[in-house]
Amino acid sequence: MSVPYLVLAIITLISTVPSLYFSAVEMRTAEPKKRVIAQYTTARSLALFGLAVVALCGRFDGWLLAIAFAMLLVQAVDGVIALRARAAGLGTPLGNIIGPFATAAASAAGIIWFLVAG
């Protein structure tokens, strides 16, 4: 595996962890409706995490690019959601805005490096 491939695979794997973590934590809520929604989001987050792990098990260029693009979109949308929540006065911490956008930027940089490196 090339260095650009490994870097992109690691960035992609790291970007799957926050959504998996926060959705899993939310499953502990006492409210049944919120718990069910958290179970749905945990299932999807676990699938993304698993897909990102597969990219580290060999050289799967198309696979890696697909999951990297997916996570780039997830992180960018997460950043927009956090930005809108903060603008609505919901007390969203600045880190919840910066984190997803920084991860999206790292994903974009990794994708570009991987594509340019060929």
Side-chain angles (χ1 to χ4, degrees):
M1 280 185 254
S2 68
V3 173
Y5 181 95
L6 282 173
V7 169
L8 181 57
I10 291 167
I11 290 169
T12 302
L13 180 64
I14 289 169
S15 73
T16 67
V17 173
S19 59
L20 178 58
Y21 172 78
F22 288 113
S23 61
V25 166
E26 192 64 25
M27 285 196 313
R28 298 181 62 177
T29 185
E31 296 179 45
K33 189 172 183 175
K34 284 185 178 182
R35 192 168 47 250
V36 169
I37 292 168
Q39 289 169 347
Y40 281 119
T41 58
T42 300
R44 284 149 181 78
S45 297
L46 186 58
L48 289 169
F49 177 80
L51 292 171
V53 168
V54 168
L56 288 167
C57 297
R59 177 84 190 229
F60 307 106
D61 292 1
W63 184 282
L64 176 59
L65 282 172
I67 190 67
F69 274 115
M71 291 313 303
L72 175 101
L73 291 172
V74 166
Q75 293 297 338
V77 171
D78 281 354
V80 170
I81 291 168
L83 193 61
R84 291 184 68 202
R86 186 174 175 99
L90 298 177
T92 304
L94 192 56
N96 288 14
I97 298 167
I98 294 171
F101 284 134
T103 306
S107 293
I111 290 167
I112 291 167
W113 185 26
F114 177 73
L115 290 173
V116 168

